[in-house]
Amino acid sequence: MGHVGFGSYRVSIKSKVHRESLVRALEAGCTLIDTSSNYTNGESEELIGSVLSENPQYKPIIVTKAGYIQGHALHVLRELNEKGQALEDLVDLSEELKHSIHPEFLKSQLDQSLERLKRDSVDYFLLHNPEYYFQTEGSTQDEYYARLKKAFIYCEEEVKKGRIKAYGVSSNNFGLPLNDPQVTDLSRILSVLKEMNGKNFKMVQFPFNLIEIGALEKLGDYGDESLLELCMANGLTTVVNRPLNAFTQNKLVRLATYEEQTKNLDDKKAQELFDHAMSLVKAKWDEAVDENTTADDFYEVEMIKQFTDLWNNLPTPDAVDQVYYGHFFPFIARVWGGQGLSAEEAQPFYQLMETSYLYSRRNLSNKALEFKKQAMSVGLLPDDGDRPFSVMAVETYLDYGFDYILVGMRKPEYVDQMKALF
């Protein structure tokens, strides 16, 4: 029987709630923590290092990953490049995002990860989504595995030094059909490891959920085995990520519900809060308009028209962030003449944003409940619908034989839901 691991994407040392959640998970018996050098710009690793150094009685398996170059890592890359290092094999995606699994960059990332984690070694060091290489013009499968081999040779050296105990690959493309030009083919990875006599490749991480089931499908080039079965046959530890965020037809289906968080959402009070916030913006807007502008023109401002339609209909909390931080808050700042709002002036708008978060979670819950009903009707889930959807889904994955299911648990109540599965 597998276990739930603590997924630390989007956790930060700056959050007391995230710290409380991680401590509670460790107290409940969580045995694996997954992170990455790029999660919250290194603050995820910092939180883990801080918590474990303050609680040495807990000794979970630590998995970290490297490859993404964004945030602070962009400065690190520039410093390496100035020394003539990490210039080869760079995947240049944009000014703000690059990717590399070149040994010189991986070493830099491992150095920083160990420092942030306050450890001399990590249990598993994974190449993080190396398939980004396929976004470069002229990419080929042969070059992909040549780059992986170079990284594997480096990882074997780090095992000898004792800085990592084992290594592996985290790829969203493991579950693709083997004739897909962007697939990460485990059988080819195993061939590369055999050629180089690699002994310490021990972990494979990939997405899996009730919709994205590629890891269970029988793939012809693997003989009669699925990806999961091939991992088992070769003694590889399997780790599932994104178990509760499924993508279908480019749309997110959240396989969890938020009834507890949204039970007190009152539509009438929410509308009153919205109307009050808009009246504050309009009053400030009216102060700045010239004599040729009427009061009614405020409601014809494109930003206001769109926001009025969206504020309680956004599909996800991420969409709320995008609308507020990307559009609404900058609009307010302009209305206030770019001077900035006092804490008292800003409070109604942040209250409105919290209400939009609640609506987005209710919208997610409605979709999830609909999918849950469908899943039970076709036998994907047991017909005992009183338990949380997320718990039912994760229990189903564990029954398939995966070793670890990574669940994001940024709030203590999420830990409490999953603690029986640690």
Side-chain angles (χ1 to χ4, degrees):
M1 180 72 174
H3 304 278
V4 164
F6 190 95
S8 61
Y9 175 62
R10 294 175 70 186
V11 306
S12 168
I13 194 170
K14 296 178 181 178
S15 170
K16 292 181 180 179
V17 174
H18 297 169
R19 178 181 291 272
E20 182 184 349
S21 298
L22 179 54
V23 171
R24 187 173 298 192
L26 292 168
E27 291 173 345
C30 181
T31 59
L32 181 140
I33 302 172
D34 176 270
T35 185
S36 178
S37 59
N38 74 308
Y39 287 173
T40 54
N41 205 23
E43 293 173 6
S44 172
E45 290 180 326
E46 288 179 21
L47 174 64
I48 295 162
S50 175
V51 167
L52 292 179
S53 66
E54 294 172 6
N55 298 272
Q57 69 273 30
Y58 301 118
K59 302 186 185 302
I61 295 167
I62 301 296
V63 180
T64 195
K65 305 184 284 292
Y68 280 86
I69 306 172
Q70 53 192 159
H72 174 68
L74 290 165
H75 302 290
V76 174
L77 177 68
R78 282 194 286 270
E79 291 175 358
L80 290 172
N81 289 169
E82 288 170 1
K83 299 175 185 177
Q85 299 177 347
L87 292 164
E88 298 178 4
D89 303 341
L90 180 64
V91 178
D92 193 348
L93 299 159
S94 71
E95 283 294 319
E96 301 300 324
L97 175 61
K98 307 178 194 303
H99 195 278
S100 176
I101 57 170
H102 189 277
E104 291 168 345
F105 180 72
L106 293 178
K107 179 183 182 302
S108 171
Q109 291 289 276
L110 180 58
D111 290 344
Q112 293 174 71
S113 290
L114 292 174
E115 181 179 352
R116 289 189 288 251
L117 290 165
K118 300 184 179 181
R119 297 169 67 94
D120 295 325
S121 67
V122 291
D123 299 290
Y124 292 94
F125 184 67
L126 307 186
L127 307 182
H128 199 179
N129 296 132
E131 67 272 13
Y132 267 106
Y133 158 71
F134 290 120
Q135 295 190 28
T136 60
E137 186 176 355
S139 60
T140 66
Q141 281 277 312
D142 288 343
E143 173 63 17
Y144 183 47
Y145 297 101
R147 294 185 180 204
L148 288 174
K149 182 177 181 179
K150 195 184 301 184
F152 293 164
I153 292 171
Y154 160 75
C155 289
E156 291 285 345
E157 293 172 354
E158 290 290 4
V159 172
K160 292 177 183 177
K161 294 176 182 177
R163 299 212 304 164
I164 64 176
K165 296 177 182 177
Y167 64 95
V169 170
S170 174
S171 173
N172 291 337
N173 291 13
F174 270 123
L176 294 179
L178 294 182
N179 61 357
D180 191 301
Q182 297 190 14
V183 67
T184 301
D185 183 344
L186 181 57
S187 62
R188 285 201 64 171
I189 286 177
L190 294 172
S191 296
V192 167
L193 292 165
K194 185 175 181 180
E195 290 171 8
M196 55 174 274
N197 198 29
K199 301 293 186 182
N200 296 288
F201 183 98
K202 301 292 185 182
M203 181 175 281
V204 175
Q205 185 177 134
F206 44 78
F208 183 87
N209 48 63
L210 291 174
I211 292 176
E212 297 168 285
I213 59 171
L216 295 184
E217 295 177 330
K218 304 288 186 180
L219 303 176
D221 291 359
Y222 290 157
D224 292 328
E225 294 175 308
S226 65
L227 173 62
L228 173 60
E229 290 167 338
L230 185 61
C231 289
M232 290 177 169
N234 287 276
L236 301 177
T237 299
T238 52
V239 180
V240 164
N241 58 42
R242 221 170 66 213
L244 303 176
N245 286 331
F247 289 92
T248 176
Q249 298 177 340
N250 294 320
K251 294 183 179 180
L252 171 70
V253 176
R254 176 71 175 161
L255 305 178
T257 54
Y258 301 91
E259 292 97 330
E260 188 64 27
Q261 294 97 316
T262 61
K263 65 181 181 181
N264 294 322
L265 179 57
D266 186 312
D267 291 325
K268 182 179 179 181
K269 290 182 178 178
Q271 185 64 48
E272 291 173 354
L273 181 62
F274 173 81
D275 292 341
H276 175 61
M278 289 300 99
S279 70
L280 295 174
V281 181
K282 183 179 182 300
K284 198 71 176 180
W285 190 83
D286 286 346
E287 292 177 9
V289 300
D290 59 41
E291 59 184 14
N292 296 319
T293 304
T294 67
D296 289 340
D297 289 341
F298 172 78
Y299 298 105
E300 294 303 314
V301 175
E302 191 62 29
M303 174 66 234
I304 296 301
K305 290 167 62 177
Q306 292 183 9
F307 185 71
T308 300
D309 291 337
L310 288 173
W311 74 278
N312 60 350
N313 289 304
L314 292 162
T316 67
D318 283 344
V320 173
D321 285 342
Q322 291 171 12
V323 167
Y324 276 81
Y325 289 114
H327 303 282
F328 185 58
F329 287 161
F331 175 80
I332 290 175
R334 291 193 298 273
V335 172
W336 257 253
Q339 300 175 354
L341 284 70
S342 68
E344 183 178 353
E345 289 175 317
Q347 185 179 9
F349 305 117
Y350 280 103
Q351 288 179 330
L352 184 62
M353 182 171 69
E354 290 301 320
T355 303
S356 292
Y357 281 133
L358 291 177
Y359 272 111
S360 71
R361 291 188 175 99
R362 190 167 78 177
N363 294 335
L364 283 173
S365 291
N366 290 338
K367 289 183 180 179
L369 290 171
E370 182 180 343
F371 183 81
K372 178 183 178 182
K373 182 178 180 180
Q374 294 173 354
M376 288 191 296
S377 70
V378 297
L380 281 175
L381 291 175
D383 192 3
D384 51 355
D386 291 337
R387 292 182 303 134
F389 186 15
S390 56
V391 174
M392 295 172 65
V394 170
E395 284 179 343
T396 299
Y397 310 152
L398 291 172
D399 287 342
Y400 289 139
F402 298 110
D403 294 307
Y404 292 98
I405 311 296
L406 300 177
V407 178
M409 292 175 278
R410 294 188 295 157
K411 295 184 178 180
E413 53 262 38
Y414 299 160
V415 175
D416 293 340
Q417 280 189 348
M418 293 291 167
K419 64 183 181 181
L421 303 177
F422 288 150

